[in-house]
Amino acid sequence: MNRRYLVAGNWKMNGSSAQNEALVSGITQGASACSAVEMLICPPSVYLSSVAEQLAGTDIALGGQNLSDQTKAGAFTGEVLGGMLKDCGCSHVIVGHSERRAYYGESDEVVANKLKAAQAQGLHPILCVGETLQARESGDTESVLERQLTAVLDAAGVACFAGATIAYEPVWAIGTGKTASTEQAQAAHAFLRDLIALQDAKIASSLRILYGGSVKPSNAAELFAQKDVDGGLIGGASLKAEDFLAICNAAQAHSA
Ligand code: PGA
């Protein structure tokens, strides 16, 4: 199965109008060299419209970092509806990032509802899963991944993965400079794909599974060379045009 690489920049809570403009302009200038790669930028929601304007006419997609679990507008102070993200030019949205799970109490159930809400409003969700250091050290990596994925499979059915992407992000590798080894990443990705394949082999083989957690220009190529690694969800390194482009170029080099 030939899966196109996806490299997504998760800016998290970083940036300003001036910084974003410089960053997006740097990225768009180098993007034509990575035409085989799908590129995606996920800025903070207040900057989506301005980044969308800058991306107009390019092939770079725009995504939100989070969305409400609601599917209709209403009295939910501070929340952002999936339809509003679409209205601002988003095609994608990150769902269940470990920072949302850890700091904002998003349970597996809430994450599953957000994924469903995203799809109901025409957005392509990127579902984040991953184990903590404690879970890895106690040998619970697979059971954590299985629990997180099963919550979504139970709530939304395997068919939802025909229009979704998974990001495997070991919590201990996010923003720490510690990257999963290529073997650890490949094993986790294969485990996730196999879980989907138990329910639908065709969906499993076309599903993209991104790796996230301290991806940088120096380790991207070896991660992307793994059979089940179909791109990356990039945090820190997506804030520098040069680094983000170098990572996209590493994916380009592995593209058929
Ligand atoms: P990092 O973040 O690349 O800074 O480790 C990745 C993520 O949290 O998506």
Side-chain angles (χ1 to χ4, degrees), residues 3-10 12 94 97-98 126-131 136 141 145 165-190 192-193 207-238 244 247-248 251:
R3 296 179 293 264
R4 190 176 177 207
Y5 283 93
L6 169 63
V7 179
N10 172 14
K12 308 194 180 185
I94 298 170
H97 189 280
S98 64
I126 298 178
L127 170 71
C128 300
V129 296
E131 79 289 358
R136 175 159 287 271
T141 298
L145 296 180
T165 296
I166 293 178
Y168 168 62
E169 298 207 307
V171 177
W172 49 271
I174 296 178
T176 58
K178 282 188 207 153
T179 316
S181 68
T182 51
E183 293 76 16
Q184 286 170 326
Q186 169 55 30
H189 284 225
L192 289 164
R193 196 181 304 286
L207 174 70
R208 280 191 294 204
I209 306 181
L210 314 181
Y211 170 80
S214 298
V215 178
K216 38 193 181 242
S218 59
N219 60 22
E222 57 176 15
L223 285 161
F224 296 161
Q226 303 306 305
K227 187 165 138 288
D228 288 294
V229 177
D230 307 308
L233 182 53
I234 321 299
S238 73
F244 187 64
I247 293 167
C248 293

Side-chain angles (χ1 to χ4, degrees), residues 63-223:
Q65 297 177 9
N66 179 35
L67 82 166
S68 164
D69 58 357
Q70 300 296 314
T71 52
K72 288 198 185 82
F76 299 96
T77 302
E79 289 292 288
V80 175
L81 191 67
M84 296 173 180
L85 297 177
K86 267 217 100 170
D87 193 29
C88 290
C90 291
S91 49
H92 291 69
V93 63
I94 298 170
V95 172
H97 189 280
S98 64
E99 287 150 16
R100 301 290 323 165
R101 294 178 188 259
Y103 308 148
Y104 301 97
E106 288 191 12
S107 62
D108 289 334
E109 193 192 348
V110 167
V111 171
N113 285 336
K114 287 190 171 192
L115 180 133
K116 286 206 291 185
Q119 291 189 324
Q121 292 167 98
L123 291 164
H124 182 112
I126 298 178
L127 170 71
C128 300
V129 296
E131 79 289 358
T132 60
L133 184 58
Q134 194 194 6
R136 175 159 287 271
E137 284 176 346
S138 49
D140 292 332
T141 298
E142 292 191 347
S143 61
V144 169
L145 296 180
E146 186 165 359
R147 191 201 75 223
Q148 292 173 334
L149 197 58
T150 304
V152 173
L153 285 168
D154 288 351
V158 70
C160 77
F161 287 103
T165 296
I166 293 178
Y168 168 62
E169 298 207 307
V171 177
W172 49 271
I174 296 178
T176 58
K178 282 188 207 153
T179 316
S181 68
T182 51
E183 293 76 16
Q184 286 170 326
Q186 169 55 30
H189 284 225
F191 177 75
L192 289 164
R193 196 181 304 286
D194 287 349
L195 281 179
I196 304 283
L198 287 176
Q199 298 198 18
D200 193 312
K202 212 166 144 220
I203 289 177
S205 77
S206 58
L207 174 70
R208 280 191 294 204
I209 306 181
L210 314 181
Y211 170 80
S214 298
V215 178
K216 38 193 181 242
S218 59
N219 60 22
E222 57 176 15
L223 285 161

